[in-house]
mmCIF file with all atom_site columns, all heavy atoms in Angstrom:
data_model
loop_
_atom_site.group_PDB
_atom_site.id
_atom_site.type_symbol
_atom_site.label_atom_id
_atom_site.label_alt_id
_atom_site.label_comp_id
_atom_site.label_asym_id
_atom_site.label_entity_id
_atom_site.label_seq_id
_atom_site.pdbx_PDB_ins_code
_atom_site.Cartn_x
_atom_site.Cartn_y
_atom_site.Cartn_z
_atom_site.occupancy
_atom_site.B_iso_or_equiv
_atom_site.pdbx_formal_charge
_atom_site.auth_seq_id
_atom_site.auth_comp_id
_atom_site.auth_asym_id
_atom_site.auth_atom_id
_atom_site.pdbx_PDB_model_num
ATOM 1  N N   . MET A 1 163 ? 55.500 26.688 26.952 1.00 86.00 ? 381 MET A N   1
ATOM 2  C CA  . MET A 1 163 ? 56.027 28.065 26.926 1.00 86.00 ? 381 MET A CA  1
ATOM 3  C C   . MET A 1 163 ? 55.172 28.994 27.787 1.00 86.00 ? 381 MET A C   1
ATOM 4  O O   . MET A 1 163 ? 53.984 28.768 27.950 1.00 86.00 ? 381 MET A O   1
ATOM 5  C CB  . MET A 1 163 ? 55.988 28.596 25.487 1.00 86.00 ? 381 MET A CB  1
ATOM 6  C CG  . MET A 1 163 ? 57.053 28.029 24.605 1.00 86.00 ? 381 MET A CG  1
ATOM 7  S SD  . MET A 1 163 ? 58.625 28.782 25.041 1.00 86.00 ? 381 MET A SD  1
ATOM 8  C CE  . MET A 1 163 ? 59.699 27.961 23.883 1.00 86.00 ? 381 MET A CE  1
ATOM 9  N N   . PRO A 1 164 ? 55.778 30.084 28.314 1.00 85.00 ? 382 PRO A N   1
ATOM 10 C CA  . PRO A 1 164 ? 54.957 31.073 29.019 1.00 85.00 ? 382 PRO A CA  1
ATOM 11 C C   . PRO A 1 164 ? 53.996 31.777 28.056 1.00 85.00 ? 382 PRO A C   1
ATOM 12 O O   . PRO A 1 164 ? 54.249 31.828 26.855 1.00 85.00 ? 382 PRO A O   1
ATOM 13 C CB  . PRO A 1 164 ? 55.980 32.057 29.583 1.00 85.00 ? 382 PRO A CB  1
ATOM 14 C CG  . PRO A 1 164 ? 57.226 31.842 28.805 1.00 85.00 ? 382 PRO A CG  1
ATOM 15 C CD  . PRO A 1 164 ? 57.202 30.424 28.339 1.00 85.00 ? 382 PRO A CD  1
ATOM 16 N N   . ARG A 1 165 ? 52.920 32.300 28.615 1.00 83.00 ? 383 ARG A N   1
ATOM 17 C CA  . ARG A 1 165 ? 51.830 32.847 27.809 1.00 83.00 ? 383 ARG A CA  1
ATOM 18 C C   . ARG A 1 165 ? 52.275 33.903 26.775 1.00 83.00 ? 383 ARG A C   1
ATOM 19 O O   . ARG A 1 165 ? 51.876 33.854 25.624 1.00 83.00 ? 383 ARG A O   1
ATOM 20 C CB  . ARG A 1 165 ? 50.784 33.456 28.764 1.00 83.00 ? 383 ARG A CB  1
ATOM 21 C CG  . ARG A 1 165 ? 49.626 34.150 28.101 1.00 83.00 ? 383 ARG A CG  1
ATOM 22 C CD  . ARG A 1 165 ? 48.635 33.158 27.563 1.00 83.00 ? 383 ARG A CD  1
ATOM 23 N NE  . ARG A 1 165 ? 47.522 33.830 26.902 1.00 83.00 ? 383 ARG A NE  1
ATOM 24 C CZ  . ARG A 1 165 ? 46.945 33.370 25.792 1.00 83.00 ? 383 ARG A CZ  1
ATOM 25 N NH1 . ARG A 1 165 ? 47.368 32.254 25.249 1.00 83.00 ? 383 ARG A NH1 1
ATOM 26 N NH2 . ARG A 1 165 ? 45.942 34.019 25.252 1.00 83.00 ? 383 ARG A NH2 1
ATOM 27 N N   . HIS A 1 166 ? 53.109 34.859 27.178 1.00 81.00 ? 384 HIS A N   1
ATOM 28 C CA  . HIS A 1 166 ? 53.444 35.925 26.225 1.00 81.00 ? 384 HIS A CA  1
ATOM 29 C C   . HIS A 1 166 ? 54.278 35.377 25.062 1.00 81.00 ? 384 HIS A C   1
ATOM 30 O O   . HIS A 1 166 ? 54.160 35.827 23.932 1.00 81.00 ? 384 HIS A O   1
ATOM 31 C CB  . HIS A 1 166 ? 54.137 37.092 26.917 1.00 81.00 ? 384 HIS A CB  1
ATOM 32 C CG  . HIS A 1 166 ? 55.513 36.790 27.411 1.00 81.00 ? 384 HIS A CG  1
ATOM 33 N ND1 . HIS A 1 166 ? 55.738 36.101 28.584 1.00 81.00 ? 384 HIS A ND1 1
ATOM 34 C CD2 . HIS A 1 166 ? 56.723 37.055 26.890 1.00 81.00 ? 384 HIS A CD2 1
ATOM 35 C CE1 . HIS A 1 166 ? 57.041 35.979 28.757 1.00 81.00 ? 384 HIS A CE1 1
ATOM 36 N NE2 . HIS A 1 166 ? 57.659 36.545 27.747 1.00 81.00 ? 384 HIS A NE2 1
ATOM 37 N N   . LYS A 1 167 ? 55.091 34.344 25.328 1.00 84.00 ? 385 LYS A N   1
ATOM 38 C CA  . LYS A 1 167 ? 55.842 33.709 24.238 1.00 84.00 ? 385 LYS A CA  1
ATOM 39 C C   . LYS A 1 167 ? 54.898 32.943 23.324 1.00 84.00 ? 385 LYS A C   1
ATOM 40 O O   . LYS A 1 167 ? 55.052 32.937 22.108 1.00 84.00 ? 385 LYS A O   1
ATOM 41 C CB  . LYS A 1 167 ? 56.890 32.749 24.814 1.00 84.00 ? 385 LYS A CB  1
ATOM 42 C CG  . LYS A 1 167 ? 58.119 33.448 25.328 1.00 84.00 ? 385 LYS A CG  1
ATOM 43 C CD  . LYS A 1 167 ? 59.363 32.873 24.662 1.00 84.00 ? 385 LYS A CD  1
ATOM 44 C CE  . LYS A 1 167 ? 60.575 33.729 24.967 1.00 84.00 ? 385 LYS A CE  1
ATOM 45 N NZ  . LYS A 1 167 ? 61.535 33.047 25.835 1.00 84.00 ? 385 LYS A NZ  1
ATOM 46 N N   . GLN A 1 168 ? 53.918 32.290 23.924 1.00 88.00 ? 386 GLN A N   1
ATOM 47 C CA  . GLN A 1 168 ? 52.931 31.569 23.117 1.00 88.00 ? 386 GLN A CA  1
ATOM 48 C C   . GLN A 1 168 ? 52.265 32.517 22.131 1.00 88.00 ? 386 GLN A C   1
ATOM 49 O O   . GLN A 1 168 ? 52.135 32.222 20.952 1.00 88.00 ? 386 GLN A O   1
ATOM 50 C CB  . GLN A 1 168 ? 51.850 30.951 24.006 1.00 88.00 ? 386 GLN A CB  1
ATOM 51 C CG  . GLN A 1 168 ? 52.314 29.759 24.802 1.00 88.00 ? 386 GLN A CG  1
ATOM 52 C CD  . GLN A 1 168 ? 51.211 29.209 25.701 1.00 88.00 ? 386 GLN A CD  1
ATOM 53 O OE1 . GLN A 1 168 ? 50.202 29.880 25.949 1.00 88.00 ? 386 GLN A OE1 1
ATOM 54 N NE2 . GLN A 1 168 ? 51.409 28.003 26.194 1.00 88.00 ? 386 GLN A NE2 1
ATOM 55 N N   . LEU A 1 169 ? 51.868 33.692 22.662 1.00 86.00 ? 387 LEU A N   1
ATOM 56 C CA  . LEU A 1 169 ? 51.175 34.655 21.807 1.00 86.00 ? 387 LEU A CA  1
ATOM 57 C C   . LEU A 1 169 ? 52.081 35.149 20.685 1.00 86.00 ? 387 LEU A C   1
ATOM 58 O O   . LEU A 1 169 ? 51.665 35.284 19.546 1.00 86.00 ? 387 LEU A O   1
ATOM 59 C CB  . LEU A 1 169 ? 50.671 35.843 22.632 1.00 86.00 ? 387 LEU A CB  1
ATOM 60 C CG  . LEU A 1 169 ? 49.380 35.599 23.395 1.00 86.00 ? 387 LEU A CG  1
ATOM 61 C CD1 . LEU A 1 169 ? 49.062 36.787 24.278 1.00 86.00 ? 387 LEU A CD1 1
ATOM 62 C CD2 . LEU A 1 169 ? 48.228 35.329 22.432 1.00 86.00 ? 387 LEU A CD2 1
ATOM 63 N N   . TYR A 1 202 ? 46.149 28.443 20.914 1.00 93.00 ? 420 TYR A N   1
ATOM 64 C CA  . TYR A 1 202 ? 46.878 29.265 21.880 1.00 93.00 ? 420 TYR A CA  1
ATOM 65 C C   . TYR A 1 202 ? 46.414 30.715 21.911 1.00 93.00 ? 420 TYR A C   1
ATOM 66 O O   . TYR A 1 202 ? 46.430 31.353 22.952 1.00 93.00 ? 420 TYR A O   1
ATOM 67 C CB  . TYR A 1 202 ? 48.380 29.176 21.616 1.00 93.00 ? 420 TYR A CB  1
ATOM 68 C CG  . TYR A 1 202 ? 48.883 27.794 21.951 1.00 93.00 ? 420 TYR A CG  1
ATOM 69 C CD1 . TYR A 1 202 ? 49.144 26.860 20.964 1.00 93.00 ? 420 TYR A CD1 1
ATOM 70 C CD2 . TYR A 1 202 ? 49.019 27.411 23.285 1.00 93.00 ? 420 TYR A CD2 1
ATOM 71 C CE1 . TYR A 1 202 ? 49.553 25.577 21.278 1.00 93.00 ? 420 TYR A CE1 1
ATOM 72 C CE2 . TYR A 1 202 ? 49.424 26.126 23.610 1.00 93.00 ? 420 TYR A CE2 1
ATOM 73 C CZ  . TYR A 1 202 ? 49.690 25.213 22.609 1.00 93.00 ? 420 TYR A CZ  1
ATOM 74 O OH  . TYR A 1 202 ? 50.079 23.956 22.935 1.00 93.00 ? 420 TYR A OH  1
ATOM 75 N N   . ALA A 1 203 ? 45.995 31.247 20.753 1.00 88.00 ? 421 ALA A N   1
ATOM 76 C CA  . ALA A 1 203 ? 45.589 32.647 20.729 1.00 88.00 ? 421 ALA A CA  1
ATOM 77 C C   . ALA A 1 203 ? 44.184 32.826 21.314 1.00 88.00 ? 421 ALA A C   1
ATOM 78 O O   . ALA A 1 203 ? 43.905 33.797 21.997 1.00 88.00 ? 421 ALA A O   1
ATOM 79 C CB  . ALA A 1 203 ? 45.648 33.193 19.312 1.00 88.00 ? 421 ALA A CB  1
ATOM 80 N N   . PRO A 1 205 ? 42.082 30.301 23.211 1.00 90.00 ? 423 PRO A N   1
ATOM 81 C CA  . PRO A 1 205 ? 41.841 28.961 23.751 1.00 90.00 ? 423 PRO A CA  1
ATOM 82 C C   . PRO A 1 205 ? 40.361 28.637 23.955 1.00 90.00 ? 423 PRO A C   1
ATOM 83 O O   . PRO A 1 205 ? 39.930 27.520 23.665 1.00 90.00 ? 423 PRO A O   1
ATOM 84 C CB  . PRO A 1 205 ? 42.599 28.960 25.076 1.00 90.00 ? 423 PRO A CB  1
ATOM 85 C CG  . PRO A 1 205 ? 43.107 30.334 25.291 1.00 90.00 ? 423 PRO A CG  1
ATOM 86 C CD  . PRO A 1 205 ? 43.009 31.074 24.012 1.00 90.00 ? 423 PRO A CD  1
#
Side-chain angles (χ1 to χ4, degrees):
M381 285 286 180
R383 176 77 181 142
H384 69 281
K385 281 235 169 112
Q386 287 178 344
L387 280 174
Y420 291 102

